């Protein structure tokens, strides 16, 4: 068995890919294709890149309709679902001027506009997962069966499991602490202070204040985009969390305590483990 | 006039003097006039084709009505980006359906000729990716078909549509760096240049870039595009090309060099050095033009001017943005500086507001739908392609190639 590891800088973080299989050349080509796709999504979705699609929309959508391609439209549809599912705890307009919300983003067959000035889109809480989901599709199409991809350790995607293992074991927080066993699924991790331990980077929609009710939220489900958005929403919601259909497993960590939300358990029950 | 007003006035006036030619609409939403529509079909749904679909979706009045690829996976991937388009397995079926006004050809280079010529014969406007072809014969066939066609033909050499490049060219041609003494360009990226597939036949088709029978290698696939920029800036085409290449980074049995260098000899002793590698990414992709009073570096989304200490200071430089590169300081070239300065937003103007491919596609759409002048026509496309093909020949043979000037006629 061969193992190939590659990395790329995108979305303000380091994406890494670990692929396992028989042919190192094939695995490398597959990893490159997956990471290039992630770089392409960065170029399209980063609001810090002047020539990205999202920057274009943010510049012009307050003045009228802006045409977008089908993939961007699909991301907006996904955000629509996520905003509804999380009751607005996930909201890609969170960095807009105070008072703005997703309801002020209007869509119509390949076009988007904002209902007023000051609204802007920021896909920071979903873009890494969205890109990982696209990368998974590419890897599966190529015929890759065993792989682990992550973006900045907060968005993780597993294809299959390493040879002879139940799944890919991911440490949560400090080494030797809680972990997650991931097989053919995605993990999203969110913390109010980020991995660097600085000021809060998850904002509460509406108030714009930094969220701080939990120290870390982690979600396992099929889609990396859903895991990403939901982990952010859980940090925002904290203990006010209500079980929700469509989510297989959720998990909150307050301090050193592990708290699996029983109501959310499904296909991935038991993914989170204590030492 | 208050001090602030005066400063603002001076800034605007100085920038206006430096950049009065600039298209005022840069950064605005481009749209075809009301009532004007263009239906576009895409032939070739790889990474470049998908990128083009994203740019077409931005232009009001343009609809992508057809997409085509022999590879089902690529076709379905592009269908998501252009959900209203009908999907075809061959360009013949696409043309037969006759529901497009224009065709964008983004197939592998060696497969450009058939869809391009057939679409032109069918009366469609055609945008063909660069280089036009992998052989001089095919490139000439395309150019001949384009010259006799009723539709617009644009070759995808993007420097000629790029607002930053247009600005830099105006400076160079106005003598801002004085006499051009040398030029240099590079392409560096760490990649195996391979595409994975578990199906051997599909893998062979997808990996045309490393097939020595059909690939122009780095000199043709990237060099043709970059060298055209330098040829456009100076108005000169090479008389001879020397080159060499080796497989230094990816010893996987491939024959197409992954690391190359070329020297192009232009009239009056001017030389361009071109180097490209798939083993290292330092500096990425850029072109440089050196003059006795300064140099210009162009990196597709950004451009800079570096001045010699003894060159005269222009008024507009006082307010320009600058960027340090070790001991050198580059003055950032901003394509819509006048307008941005007037709005007090000069710093926001660093880097293009759209990807470089957008401007090429926009030029094509404007020519096809409104009859605007073609940015890069058959003659320029053929010449640039010939340079790429002969540079590739110099690299693969290691021999100096003397160029018959007749190849640049027409």
């Amino acid at each position: 068995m061969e193992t190939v590891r590659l990395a790329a800088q995108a979305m303000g973080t380091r994406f890494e890919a670990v692929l396992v299989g028989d042919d190192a050349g094939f695995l490398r080509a597959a990893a490159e294709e997956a990471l290039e796709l992630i770089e392409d999504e960065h170029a399209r979705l980063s609001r810090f890149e002047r020539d990205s699609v999202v920057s274009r929309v943010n510049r012009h959508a307050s003045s009228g309709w802006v045409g977008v391609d089908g993939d961007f439209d699909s991301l907006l549809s996904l955000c629509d679902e996520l905003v509804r599912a999380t009751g607005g705890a996930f909201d890609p307009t969170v960095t807009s001027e105070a008072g703005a919300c997703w309801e002020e983003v209007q869509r119509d067959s390949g076009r988007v506009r904002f209902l007023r000035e000051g609204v802007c889109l920021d896909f920071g809480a979903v873009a890494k997962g969205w890109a990982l989901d696209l990368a998974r599709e590419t890897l599966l199409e190529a015929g890759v069966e065993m792989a682990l991809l992550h973006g900045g350790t907060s968005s993780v995607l597993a294809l299959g499991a390493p040879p002879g293992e139940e799944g890919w074991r991911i440490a949560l927080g400090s080494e030797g602490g809680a972990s997650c066993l991931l097989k053919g699924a995605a993990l999203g991790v969110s913390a109010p202070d980020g991995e660097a331990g600085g000021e809060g980077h998850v904002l509460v929609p509406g108030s714009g204040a930094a969220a701080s009710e939990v120290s870390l939220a982690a979600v396992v489900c099929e889609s990396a985009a859903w895991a990403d958005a939901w982990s952010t929403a859980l940090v925002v919601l904290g203990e006010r969390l209500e079980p929700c259909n469509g989510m297989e497993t959720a998990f909150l960590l307050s301090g050193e305590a592990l708290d699996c939300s029983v109501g959310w358990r499904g296909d991935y029950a038991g993914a989170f483990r204590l030492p | 006039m208050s001090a602030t007003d005066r400063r603002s006035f001076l800034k605007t006036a100085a920038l206006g003097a430096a950049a009065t030619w600039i298209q005022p609409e840069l950064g605005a939403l481009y749209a075809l006039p009301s009532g004007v529509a263009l239906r576009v079909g895409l032939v070739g749904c790889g990474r470049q084709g998908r990128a083009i679909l994203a740019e077409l979706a931005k232009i009001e009045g343009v609809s992508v009505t057809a997409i085509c690829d022999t590879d089902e996976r690529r076709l379905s991937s592009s269908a998501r980006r252009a959900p209203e388009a009908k999907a075809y397995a061959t360009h013949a079926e696409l043309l037969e359906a006759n529901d497009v006004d224009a065709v964008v050809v983004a197939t592998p280079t060696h497969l450009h000729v058939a869809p391009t010529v057939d679409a032109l014969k069918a009366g469609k406007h055609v945008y063909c990716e660069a280089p036009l072809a992998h052989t001089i014969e095919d490139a000439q066939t395309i150019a001949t078909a384009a010259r006799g066609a009723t539709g617009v033909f644009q070759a995808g050499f993007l420097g000629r549509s790029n607002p930053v490049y247009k600005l830099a060219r105006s400076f160079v041609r106005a003598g801002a760096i004085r006499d051009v003494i040398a030029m240099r360009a590079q392409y560096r990226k760490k990649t195996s240049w391979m595409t994975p597939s578990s199906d051997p036949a599909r893998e062979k088709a997808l990996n045309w870039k490393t097939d020595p029978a059909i690939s122009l290698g780095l000199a043709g696939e990237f060099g043709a595009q970059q060298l055209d920029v330098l040829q456009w800036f100076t108005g000169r085409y090479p008389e001879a090309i020397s080159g060499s290449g080796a497989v230094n980074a990816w010893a996987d049995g491939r024959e197409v060099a992954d690391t190359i260098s070329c020297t192009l000899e232009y009239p009056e002793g001017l030389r361009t050095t071109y180097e490209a590698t798939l083993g290292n990414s330092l500096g990425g992709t850029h072109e440089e033009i050196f003059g006795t009073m300064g140099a210009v570096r162009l990196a597709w989304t950004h451009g800079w001017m570096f001045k010699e200490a003894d060159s005269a200071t222009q008024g507009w430089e006082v307010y320009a943005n600058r960027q340090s590169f070790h001991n050198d300081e580059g003055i950032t070239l901003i394509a819509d500086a006048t307008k941005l300065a007037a709005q007090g937003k000069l710093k926001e103007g660093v880097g293009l507001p759209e990807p470089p491919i957008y401007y090429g596609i926009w030029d094509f759409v404007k020519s096809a739908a409104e009859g605007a002048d073609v940015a890069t026509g058959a003659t320029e496309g053929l010449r640039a392609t010939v340079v790429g093909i002969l540079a590739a020949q110099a690299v693969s043979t290691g021999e100096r190639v003397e160029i018959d000037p007749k190849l640049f006629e027409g």
Side-chain angles (χ1 to χ4, degrees):
Chain A
M1 279 286 170
E2 304 271 2
T3 300
V4 165
R5 294 166 188 265
L6 257 71
Q9 288 292 331
M11 302 186 184
T13 192
R14 177 181 164 88
F15 276 80
E16 287 184 304
V18 181
L19 277 65
V20 182
D22 295 327
D23 180 346
F26 166 82
L27 295 172
R28 180 173 180 98
E32 283 177 352
E33 190 170 60
L35 291 173
E36 268 191 349
L37 199 151
I38 289 167
E39 288 168 339
D40 286 349
E41 290 306 303
H42 162 82
R44 286 165 52 78
L45 302 180
S46 169
R47 70 187 176 98
F48 302 107
E49 300 291 342
R50 189 177 182 222
D51 60 355
S52 71
V53 180
V54 73
S55 291
R56 176 176 224 266
V57 169
N58 285 341
R59 274 197 302 274
H60 299 294
S62 298
S63 309
W65 291 107
V66 178
V68 293
D69 60 80
D71 286 320
F72 193 88
D73 201 42
S74 297
L75 176 57
L76 293 175
S77 294
L78 172 68
C79 287
D80 209 36
E81 282 183 63
L82 287 166
V83 170
R84 288 173 205 285
T86 62
F90 163 84
D91 188 332
T93 64
V94 69
T95 55
S96 305
E97 283 177 10
C101 69
W102 179 249
E103 299 304 317
E104 289 166 302
V105 178
Q106 200 173 22
R107 296 165 52 214
D108 171 50
S109 60
R111 301 187 301 169
V112 60
R113 73 174 176 183
F114 302 151
L115 294 183
R116 67 177 171 94
E117 289 280 341
V119 178
C120 75
L121 293 173
D122 178 346
F123 296 117
V126 71
K128 290 205 288 285
W130 166 263
L132 286 176
D133 282 338
L134 293 175
R136 164 170 48 197
E137 205 171 308
T138 298
L139 292 175
L140 289 173
E141 277 182 7
V144 174
E145 293 172 351
M146 289 177 275
L148 187 77
L149 278 77
H150 76 85
T153 69
S154 64
S155 305
V156 188
L157 183 79
L159 261 64
E165 301 284 338
E166 279 183 78
W168 301 85
R169 190 168 297 279
I170 320 289
L172 295 172
S174 56
E175 201 174 335
S179 65
C180 172
L181 193 68
L182 209 57
K183 182 181 180 183
L187 165 70
V189 181
S190 195
D193 56 0
E195 61 179 332
E199 280 193 26
H201 76 303
V202 174
L203 304 179
V204 178
S207 71
S212 60
E213 292 198 25
V214 296
S215 60
L216 187 146
V219 173
V220 170
C221 64
E222 185 182 354
S223 156
W226 276 81
D228 236 11
W230 262 106
S231 66
T232 302
L234 293 186
V235 169
V236 169
L237 292 168
E239 295 183 6
R240 288 173 279 125
L241 169 70
E242 294 292 329
C244 172
N245 291 331
M247 290 300 303
E248 282 73 24
T249 301
F251 163 89
L252 292 174
L253 191 68
S254 289
E256 293 300 311
L258 181 68
D259 176 17
C260 290
S261 300
V262 175
W264 285 32
R265 290 194 168 198
D267 294 350
Y268 304 104
F272 294 108
R273 302 188 176 183
L274 282 170
Chain B
M1 188 180 275
S2 71
T4 309
D5 288 344
R6 180 174 166 74
R7 193 159 59 241
S8 172
F9 169 77
L10 286 172
K11 180 161 68 174
T12 306
L15 281 159
T20 47
W21 66 274
I22 292 161
Q23 47 185 325
E25 71 270 30
L26 183 70
L29 284 183
Y30 291 173
L32 291 176
S34 180
V36 177
L38 189 74
R39 299 167 303 165
V40 181
L42 171 72
V43 180
C45 294
R47 193 180 183 201
Q48 183 70 356
R50 278 166 47 79
I52 289 170
L53 287 177
E55 304 314 318
L56 288 166
K58 293 176 178 176
I59 304 172
E60 195 176 331
V62 171
S63 55
V64 178
T65 52
I67 54 174
C68 166
D69 203 299
T70 52
D71 189 294
E72 275 182 35
R73 290 171 192 168
R74 295 197 161 194
L75 196 56
S76 65
S77 170
S78 285
R80 287 203 305 257
R81 189 155 284 192
E84 306 297 323
K86 286 182 190 164
Y88 300 94
T90 68
H91 76 270
E93 292 171 67
L94 182 151
L95 291 172
E96 199 176 308
N98 201 27
D99 61 355
V100 298
D101 308 305
V103 172
V104 172
V105 177
T107 56
T109 302
H110 65 287
L111 300 176
H112 283 172
V113 65
T116 300
V117 170
D118 290 349
L120 286 166
K121 281 183 180 165
K124 309 302 179 191
H125 307 295
V126 176
Y127 177 99
C128 179
E129 267 297 328
L132 293 185
H134 75 307
T135 65
I136 289 176
E137 292 73 22
D138 278 3
Q140 287 170 330
T141 300
I142 288 174
T144 302
R147 288 178 188 131
T150 53
V152 160
F153 175 80
Q154 184 176 320
F157 290 93
L158 294 175
R160 295 170 188 256
S161 294
N162 186 314
V164 167
Y165 282 42
K166 287 182 187 176
L167 176 64
R169 182 173 179 266
S170 75
F171 283 149
V172 169
R173 292 184 80 92
I177 59 171
R178 196 71 62 83
D179 302 321
V180 175
I181 52 165
M183 302 190 286
R184 180 185 165 276
Q186 70 165 53
Y187 175 89
R188 288 197 192 130
K189 184 175 181 181
K190 187 175 178 183
T191 172
S192 69
W193 228 20
M194 298 295 286
T195 304
S197 177
S198 49
D199 173 357
R202 182 172 185 259
E203 186 179 32
K204 181 171 172 52
L206 293 177
N207 287 301
W208 58 275
K209 284 181 289 192
T210 50
D211 182 344
I214 50 178
S215 175
L216 293 175
L218 291 162
E221 288 304 319
F222 299 111
Q225 180 79 260
Q226 295 181 266
L227 293 166
D228 182 56
V229 171
L230 304 176
Q231 286 142 195
W232 178 54
F233 268 57
T234 58
R236 300 185 205 180
Y237 284 87
E239 297 170 325
I241 307 176
S242 312
S244 63
V247 178
N248 290 342
W250 305 106
D252 54 7
R254 73 179 64 191
E255 294 173 46
V256 175
D258 59 32
T259 304
I260 67 160
S261 62
C262 304
T263 301
L264 293 92
E265 302 169 32
Y266 293 82
E268 299 170 27
L270 186 63
R271 297 280 186 278
T272 290
T273 53
Y274 182 73
E275 54 168 301
T277 183
L278 301 175
N280 186 281
S281 60
L282 182 66
T285 304
H286 65 252
E287 302 85 41
E288 292 170 323
I289 298 151
F290 303 95
T292 51
M293 280 298 176
V296 167
R297 179 180 296 161
L298 300 163
W300 294 91
T301 55
H302 293 69
W304 304 268
M305 184 182 292
F306 300 84
K307 303 197 68 180
E308 289 297 312
D310 57 345
S311 67
T313 301
Q314 307 291 321
W316 60 271
E317 291 173 28
V318 176
Y319 294 98
N321 290 307
R322 290 160 194 275
Q323 192 173 340
S324 289
F325 297 83
H326 187 48
N327 287 332
D328 299 309
E329 187 178 64
I331 301 170
T332 310
L333 298 173
I334 295 177
D336 49 0
T338 311
K339 189 177 167 192
L340 291 168
Q343 297 168 346
K345 293 181 176 175
L346 200 54
K347 280 199 189 315
E348 294 173 25
V350 177
L352 285 176
E354 304 284 355
I357 179 71
Y358 175 83
Y359 299 98
I361 292 298
W362 167 246
D363 274 346
F364 172 62
V365 165
K366 206 164 163 51
S367 299
E370 297 186 71
D373 289 344
V374 174
T376 309
T379 300
E380 293 80 11
L382 173 61
R383 288 173 178 167
T385 299
V386 164
V387 173
I389 290 169
L390 296 180
Q393 186 185 321
V395 167
S396 63
T397 62
E399 292 173 4
R400 183 171 178 273
V401 177
E402 292 198 13
I403 304 175
D404 180 352
K406 285 182 184 165
L407 288 171
F408 296 129
E409 287 175 2

